DNA sequence: AAGAATTCCAACCGCGATGAG
DNA sequence: GCTCATCGCGGTTGGAATTCT
C-alpha cells in the first residue's frame, strides 16, 4: 500500500519511507524543531525534499498521532464538521486530537462519504433519535459495527433484516434482559425499545488525548538554520 | 488456484497564502 | 508594490493488500 522507493534525476529519494529515514527525521525534528523544512533534509542527512519531510512528520511521526481505527464518535464528528466546513480538512482535523488532515480526508473518502449521504436521506424517527444522540457526549463504542450496519441499513428504509437485528441484539449485553422480545416479530428499527438505545449511550466517552502535539520544547536555533549546507 | 476488481492508505502535485527583502 | 522562497492545504494518484469471480 506504499509507493515503491525511487531516486529522481536530482538524487532526491521518493516513495515509501524506510525506518532509518523515519528515525533520522524524528530525531532531528525533536532536537532542532522545523523552522525551515526546505533546509531540514540537508541538515538531517536525508535525500528527500523538504515537502516530503514535512508530510511524513505531520502525518506519521509527530507526537500524539493516533494509529488506531476511528471510533464512532470521531466518525460522527467528521460527518458533522464536514457539513459545516465542507472539504476544509485541516479545520476538521484540528477538532480531532491525534488525527492528521490527510488521515481525515482518507477516512472520509473511504468510509464516511457514503454513510453521510445515506444519513441525510433518512426521514426515520429512529434515525433522528440516533442523530440526536450523536450530538451528545456519550459513547457508542459499545455498539459494534454489525449493529451500526443495521442502523445504516435502516437509514433509507425502516425495514431491517432479521440477521441485522439478531446481530444488534446479540451484541448487546442488555440482551439477557430483553428476552421478552420476540426477534422474529421485529421487522423495523422503529420497534426497538428506547431502553436499548439508552443503554448504548450511557457509557461515558473515553478520554481523548487533548495535549497539544508539539508538547516538547525546542530551542530557537535561527543561527543553525541560516548556515549553508556543505 | 489464479486472475480481475476493488479498497484504502501513503505519498505526490499544484496552487494560493504569506512573509522577507 | 514587486519578486522570490517557503509553507500549508486540498485534490489526485500509485500500488500493496484484500476481496471477488
Amino acid at each position: 500500500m506504499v509507493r515503491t522507493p525511487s531516486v529522481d534525476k536530482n538524487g532526491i529519494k521518493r516513495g515509501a519511507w524506510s525506518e532509518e529515514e523515519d528515525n533520522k527525521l524524528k530525531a532531528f525534528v525533536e532536537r532542532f524543531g522545523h523552522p525551515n523544512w526546505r533546509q531540514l533534509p540537508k541538515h538531517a542527512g536525508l535525500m528527500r525534499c523538504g515537502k516530503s519531510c514535512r508530510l511524513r512528520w505531520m502525518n506519521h511521526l509527530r507526537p500524539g498521532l493516533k494509529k488506531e481505527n476511528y471510533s464512532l464518535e470521531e466518525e460522527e464528528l467528521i460527518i458533522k464538521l464536514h457539513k459545516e466546513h465542507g472539504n476544509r480538512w485541516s479545520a476538521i482535523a484540528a477538532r480531532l486530537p491525534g488525527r492528521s488532515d490527510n488521515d481525515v480526508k482518507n477516512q472520509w473518502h473511504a468510509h464516511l462519504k457514503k454513510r453521510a449521504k445515506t444519513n441525510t436521506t433518512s426521514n426515520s424517527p429512529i434515525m433522528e433519535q440516533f442523530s440526536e444522540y450523536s450530538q451528545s457526549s456519550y459513547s457508542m463504542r459499545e455498539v459494534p459495527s454489525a449493529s451500526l450496519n443495521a442502523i445504516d441499513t435502516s437509514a433509507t428504509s425502516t425495514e431491517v433484516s432479521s440477521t441485522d437485528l439478531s446481530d444488534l441484539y446479540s451484541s448487546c449485553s442488555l440482551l439477557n434482559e430483553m428476552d421478552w422480545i420476540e426477534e422474529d416479530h421485529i421487522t423495523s428499527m422503529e420497534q426497538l425499545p428506547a431502553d436499548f438505545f439508552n443503554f448504548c449511550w450511557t457509557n461515558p466517552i473515553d478520554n481523548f488525548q487533548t495535549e497539544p502535539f508539539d508538547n516538547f520544547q525546542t530551542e530557537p536555533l535561527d543561527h543553525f538554520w541560516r548556515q549553508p549546507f556543505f
Side-chain angles (χ1 to χ4, degrees):
Chain A
M1 213 177 280
V2 291
R3 296 183 187 215
T4 311
S6 62
V7 179
D8 73 8
K9 58 187 177 189
N10 300 316
I12 299 296
K13 198 175 171 192
R14 304 166 68 83
W17 281 65
S18 67
E19 195 178 338
E20 187 190 352
E21 289 177 303
D22 278 349
N23 290 339
K24 275 186 183 177
L25 178 59
K26 194 161 186 286
F28 194 86
V29 174
E30 283 177 349
R31 183 166 181 197
F32 300 111
H34 47 76
N36 186 329
W37 283 112
R38 195 175 168 83
Q39 293 296 319
L40 187 146
K42 296 175 188 171
H43 292 296
L46 289 161
M47 304 303 288
R48 295 274 181 173
C49 66
K51 215 170 184 175
S52 179
C53 291
R54 178 188 164 274
L55 201 69
R56 186 67 184 170
W57 174 258
M58 297 303 285
N59 292 337
H60 300 281
L61 301 177
R62 63 178 171 155
L65 279 179
K66 284 186 191 175
K67 298 292 179 190
E68 63 266 34
N69 291 339
Y70 279 74
S71 67
L72 194 78
E73 298 88 16
E74 289 176 302
E75 292 185 339
E76 291 295 337
L77 185 57
I78 292 170
I79 291 169
K80 178 174 171 282
L81 291 171
H82 188 267
K83 277 183 191 167
E84 295 172 13
H85 301 293
N87 292 356
R88 295 188 56 214
W89 303 115
S90 58
I92 295 171
R95 299 278 295 278
L96 288 142
R99 304 297 189 184
S100 70
D101 54 355
N102 201 42
D103 202 17
V104 170
K105 182 169 57 181
N106 283 335
Q107 184 71 7
W108 172 262
H109 288 301
H111 304 293
L112 305 179
K113 190 161 59 177
K114 212 180 291 178
R115 192 205 296 180
K117 194 179 174 185
T118 305
N119 285 352
T120 58
T121 62
S122 169
N123 293 317
S124 163
I126 205 72
M127 289 307 297
E128 283 172 16
Q129 184 177 0
F130 255 86
S131 175
E132 197 178 313
Y133 277 125
S134 71
Q135 308 295 319
S136 73
S137 58
Y138 292 96
S139 171
M140 263 206 75
R141 207 162 283 178
E142 297 302 315
V143 184
S145 58
S147 310
L148 295 167
N149 287 340
I151 293 160
D152 264 358
T153 306
S154 74
T156 50
S157 163
T158 57
E159 296 294 313
V160 181
S161 73
S162 57
T163 308
D164 287 338
L165 281 166
S166 176
D167 286 344
L168 194 57
Y169 279 103
S170 62
S171 64
C172 177
S173 62
L174 197 62
L175 179 60
N176 292 338
E177 298 168 36
M178 288 182 164
D179 56 6
W180 50 271
I181 298 171
E182 294 179 9
E183 287 183 40
D184 288 346
H185 293 158
I186 299 174
T187 58
S188 161
M189 291 294 288
E190 312 292 349
Q191 297 171 18
L192 291 172
D195 283 351
F196 173 78
F197 293 101
N198 288 337
F199 166 81
C200 295
W201 290 96
T202 50
N203 299 284
I205 193 166
D206 290 1
N207 290 329
F208 276 124
Q209 180 170 349
T210 53
E211 295 84 356
F213 302 135
D214 297 326
N215 55 354
F216 54 89
Q217 297 295 314
T218 54
E219 299 172 25
L221 289 164
D222 289 349
H223 67 283
F224 175 83
W225 290 104
R226 288 200 206 98
Q227 289 172 1
F229 175 73
F230 296 105

